[in-house]
């Protein structure tokens, strides 16, 4: 599939890639489908069933005392959604937001969380034999608890991310607190 490099619409109903999640209904019964996105030179994948929509980057409302990786919140059709900058969450250099920067809205448990990424690539299907376990880095400084595996397709290597593990229960609770506090101040 070709890389989706065009800017996406601000409204999901205008979004040309909004139908991506609908494609999950046709998922290969022998494998899983992942939405791929880029951060720097690396390519990551999240379970397509968690993707609610993809939006172009829009201004967020910053919240005081929030961790640096939580950029703020947006009002998504009446739902206050915390927005996480994945570069900062992964301790990477901060990128400048441009027309290719997108926000992936994910359903995580009962919550919706937005991820800021450099761009989305495509949706790929991976058979079980194309997914390798993550390397054992328990003795190193790299935290791989949020990596469910490494997907291999042709020459591409995807880092498959468990968004729930990445956010952790503490991060999800913090996101809930920030969203509810902000919702109260917006009324």
């Amino acid at each position: 599939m070709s890389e989706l490099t065009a800017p996406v619409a601000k409204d999901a109903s205008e979004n040309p890639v909004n139908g991506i999640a609908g494609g999950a209904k046709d998922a290969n019964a022998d494998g899983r489908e992942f939405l791929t996105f880029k951060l720097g030179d690396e390519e990551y994948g999240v379970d397509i069933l968690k993707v609610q929509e993809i939006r172009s980057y829009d201004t967020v409302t910053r919240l005081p005392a929030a961790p640096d990786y939580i950029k703020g919140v947006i009002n998504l059709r009446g739902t206050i959604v915390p927005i996480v900058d994945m570069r900062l969450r992964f301790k990477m250099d901060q990128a400048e937001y441009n027309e290719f920067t997108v926000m992936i809205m994910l359903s995580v448990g009962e919550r919706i969380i937005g991820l800021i990424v450099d761009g989305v690539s495509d949706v790929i299907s991976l058979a079980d034999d194309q997914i390798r376990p993550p390397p054992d880095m328990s003795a190193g400084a790299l935290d791989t608890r949020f990596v469910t595996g490494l997907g291999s397709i042709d020459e591409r290597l995807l880092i498959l991310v468990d968004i729930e593990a990445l956010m952790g229960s503490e991060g999800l609770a913090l996101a809930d607190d920030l969203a509810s506090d902000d919702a109260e101040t917006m009324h």
Side-chain angles (χ1 to χ4, degrees):
M1 295 182 127
S2 64
E3 183 169 293
L4 301 174
T5 55
V8 292
K10 293 207 181 268
D11 182 7
S13 63
E14 301 171 5
N15 192 334
V17 292
N18 193 34
I20 286 175
K25 294 173 186 168
D26 300 326
N28 182 348
D30 296 333
R32 297 170 42 200
E33 288 191 330
F34 297 90
L35 174 69
T36 64
F37 62 91
K38 287 196 162 205
L39 291 174
D41 295 331
E42 306 305 324
E43 201 168 16
Y44 297 82
V46 292
D47 187 341
I48 191 71
L49 297 177
K50 296 197 179 300
V51 177
Q52 192 169 61
E53 67 180 77
I54 300 167
R55 303 172 56 90
S56 61
Y57 178 76
D58 200 1
T59 304
V60 298
T61 301
R62 293 191 162 271
L63 299 171
D68 62 343
Y69 62 88
I70 296 182
K71 298 306 286 182
V73 294
I74 64 168
N75 184 340
L76 182 67
R77 295 181 290 279
T79 302
I80 304 302
V81 177
I83 304 297
V84 176
D85 185 319
M86 292 299 286
R87 281 182 162 268
L88 297 179
R89 184 67 181 96
F90 287 162
K91 302 184 184 333
M92 301 170 74
D93 292 335
Q94 185 169 5
E96 235 179 80
Y97 302 147
N98 58 35
E99 70 272 17
F100 299 113
T101 304
V102 296
M103 296 192 291
I104 304 171
M105 300 297 155
L106 298 172
S107 294
V108 181
E110 300 292 318
R111 307 162 183 90
I112 299 174
I113 293 178
L115 305 181
I116 300 173
V117 300
D118 293 349
V120 293
S121 300
D122 54 17
V123 176
I124 63 162
S125 294
L126 292 175
D128 291 341
D129 64 350
Q130 293 177 295
I131 300 174
R132 304 280 186 246
D136 182 13
M137 303 290 282
S138 57
L142 183 63
D143 184 358
T144 58
R145 290 177 294 170
F146 60 84
V147 177
T148 59
L150 299 174
S152 175
I153 187 166
D154 299 325
E155 298 296 317
R156 296 167 63 186
L157 190 63
L158 299 176
I159 302 168
L160 305 176
V161 177
D162 179 348
I163 192 63
E164 291 162 343
L166 176 64
M167 291 299 294
S169 58
E170 183 178 311
L172 291 173
L174 178 61
D176 280 347
D177 290 347
L178 293 172
S180 65
D181 289 349
D182 193 62
E184 290 173 10
T185 60
M186 289 183 162
H187 292 287

